[in-house]
Each structure stands twice: as structure tokens, then as C-alpha cells.
Amino acid sequence: MGGPSAEYLGLFEAETDLYNRIVLGTLLPGSVWEPLPRVLQSWLRNYLAGTLLYLVSGFLWCFFIYYLKRNAYVPKDCIPSKQAMSLQIMVAMKAMPWYCALPTVTEFVVEKGWTRCFSSIHEVGWPTYLIYLTIYMALVEFGIYWMHRELHDIKPLYKYLHTTHHIYNKQNTLSPFAGLAFHPVDGILQAIPHVISLFIVPTHFMTHMLLLFCEGVWTANIHDCIHGKIWPVMGAGYHTIHHTTYKHNYGHYTIWMDWMFGTLRDPEEDLKRA
């Protein structure tokens, strides 16, 4: 069987071109970005969109929980200092250009027809799309769990990569801005299960791109120390425990992988023991 036709692959190119026009066309004059090669256009779009998402969502969330609703969600002595948040922003912004290489490379391999992506949900129908999405999310959850766990268990990986993130190990140092404060290689490794899954299960391209950017919002959420208590979501209550024990709650969206592999620690049970 042959791969996708050039005409079909052109649908992916048209889609990424549309994203470029929406983001770059809104933020920059055409004379700046239109002469760039397509791959650089995509990287620049991902960089600008990712940076805006990180800064705007982070500032709004911090303003709401630390100032507008001060002491309503976290105790006064758990509010991170401006210095801690500034450091997290600096670390994240240094890594952001490298983070944005991953979706750019992903778009390239999708446009080449090397993955199992499809362009429109109507090609498979909603029931099949939801089945594929469930499998995709399960693979992502499995991959991120084990990638995160090995970044702890393999000592050189922890020492040279993951320790950059784990200097934030108390409630008064964790904030939404810590969500992307990683060594760039660490951040890419933890996101790469999203890409590997594209070669295994048919995936809607737009859904994949949206989920990559949702990572930025989700990682901010799980570092705000507010325990949402929505089972089976791996919320901030679980992830705060991860930052204090270093050996529990490696999961990403849900508790399932930690439950299956024996690393789950429930914040409610911690409160009862306390």
C-alpha cells in the first residue's frame, strides 16, 4: 500500500499555513514572516503562541489565586515570592525556543506523511475518532508516566536535567509559572510521547496540536498547590506531593498509571494521617 497522496498531504500544509496566518498575521507585519521558509514560520508561530499562552495564563492565574483571592485557596505562608516566580519565568523563557522545536518537527513529519494523522474527523466519524482519541490519550499517559519516572530513577538524568525543575519543592516556591520551568531537554522528553503516539494510532492533526498547547495550561494548573479533588484527575494536590517526596505521583492527567504501578500517594490520605 502506498502512503497518502500529495493532494491529501496538502491538506496538512494548508492547515499549518492557516495557523501561521492567524498567529503571525495578527502579531507581525507580513514583510517579517512571509519570506521565511515554512518550517521557520511554523517555529516562530509556535514560539509566539506558546510564549503568550504561558505568560498570559500564568499572570492571570497568579493574579486570581495570590492577589484577588488571597488566602482563599492557599495559606498566606504558601504564596510564592515574586523572586521565585521571576526565576521560574526566566528558566521557562530560556527553554521556550527549544520547546517549540517539537511541534515544528511534528508538523514537518505529518506533512511528509510519515505519521498516522488524518486531516478531518469526518474521514473516520465521531465514534471512531473518540476511540482513537482514547487510545492516544492512554498512550500519552503511559509514556509521560514512564518518562517522568525514569527522569527520577536514572540518576544522571535527574542530576543534569530534572533537578532544574525540582528546586521548587515546597508550597511557597511552587506557582503556575513552575509548570514550564524545566531544562529544555527535560521538557521535550516529557512531551515526546505525544509525538510517538502519532506513529502508533490514527490521530486527528488539529486535536494533537491543541493538546500540545493544552499541556502549557495543564502544567500551570498542577503547580498551583490547589487540590481540586476531582477523581481521577492528577491535580495539584497530587503533584505537590510529587515535589515533596520525589517518588510518588509521576502521572500527568490522571492517577491511573501511578495506581497501576504502585507509586500513587493520595493527598486526602496524607491529611488523615497528619
Side-chain angles (χ1 to χ4, degrees):
M1 292 180 63
S5 67
E7 182 180 4
Y8 185 78
L9 294 178
L11 297 175
F12 296 120
E13 294 183 2
E15 188 172 332
T16 54
D17 286 342
L18 174 62
Y19 300 153
N20 290 342
R21 289 195 300 273
I22 292 172
V23 176
L24 299 179
T26 301
L27 300 175
L28 298 172
S31 58
V32 172
W33 64 272
E34 287 177 351
L36 297 175
R38 290 187 73 254
V39 67
L40 289 182
Q41 289 183 17
S42 294
W43 175 86
L44 182 59
R45 176 248 300 163
N46 290 325
Y47 176 72
L48 292 175
T51 299
L52 282 172
L53 181 69
Y54 172 71
L55 293 176
V56 172
S57 63
F59 276 112
L60 287 176
W61 194 230
C62 288
F63 174 75
F64 182 77
I65 62 177
Y66 299 141
Y67 297 98
L68 193 62
K69 296 290 185 178
R70 189 177 182 90
N71 301 330
Y73 294 110
V74 293
K76 184 177 181 180
D77 58 354
C78 292
I79 295 176
S81 67
K82 292 179 181 178
Q83 182 180 7
M85 289 189 284
S86 297
L87 177 61
Q88 291 159 11
I89 292 171
M90 288 175 60
V91 172
M93 292 314 300
K94 286 179 181 178
M96 190 67 74
W98 302 99
Y99 293 160
C100 296
L102 185 63
T104 303
V105 171
T106 302
E107 290 172 36
F108 177 80
V109 298
V110 169
E111 291 173 3
K112 291 295 183 182
W114 298 342
T115 70
R116 303 189 68 185
C117 278
F118 55 91
S119 176
S120 171
I121 294 174
H122 296 298
E123 294 174 36
V124 298
W126 279 98
T128 303
Y129 163 77
L130 292 174
I131 292 170
Y132 285 154
L133 179 60
T134 300
I135 298 170
Y136 171 89
M137 293 304 298
L139 289 172
V140 167
E141 192 79 5
F142 179 85
I144 291 178
Y145 172 87
W146 279 106
M147 186 66 74
H148 190 184
R149 184 167 174 174
E150 293 310 306
L151 282 162
H152 280 262
D153 290 347
I154 300 174
K155 299 307 178 187
L157 292 182
Y158 184 82
K159 180 179 180 181
Y160 295 108
L161 297 180
H162 201 50
T163 191
T164 300
H165 183 66
H166 269 278
I167 62 173
Y168 316 113
N169 57 6
K170 296 182 177 67
Q171 284 191 329
N172 62 1
T173 60
L174 286 167
S175 84
F177 289 118
L180 291 181
F182 290 91
H183 186 289
V185 176
D186 183 354
I188 290 171
L189 285 174
Q190 292 199 61
I192 211 164
H194 278 280
V195 180
I196 294 173
S197 298
L198 300 183
F199 295 89
I200 301 172
V201 59
T203 305
H204 182 228
F205 179 54
M206 181 186 292
T207 299
H208 163 76
M209 294 299 291
L210 288 173
L211 286 170
L212 274 184
F213 279 92
C214 283
E215 288 284 340
V217 177
W218 181 251
T219 55
N221 176 70
I222 63 175
H223 288 87
D224 63 14
C225 299
I226 301 172
H227 184 35
K229 303 179 183 179
I230 304 175
W231 186 90
V233 174
M234 176 68 73
Y238 289 95
H239 198 73
T240 302
I241 289 174
H242 172 75
H243 273 263
T244 56
T245 71
Y246 300 88
K247 57 184 180 180
H248 297 96
N249 302 349
Y250 299 103
H252 193 54
Y253 288 115
T254 72
I255 66 170
W256 294 118
M257 294 301 157
D258 285 281
W259 176 76
M260 287 173 60
F261 297 111
T263 53
L264 183 66
R265 184 162 167 176
D266 192 320
E268 296 298 309
E269 293 299 319
D270 270 17
L271 286 174
K272 289 177 183 178
R273 283 196 293 268

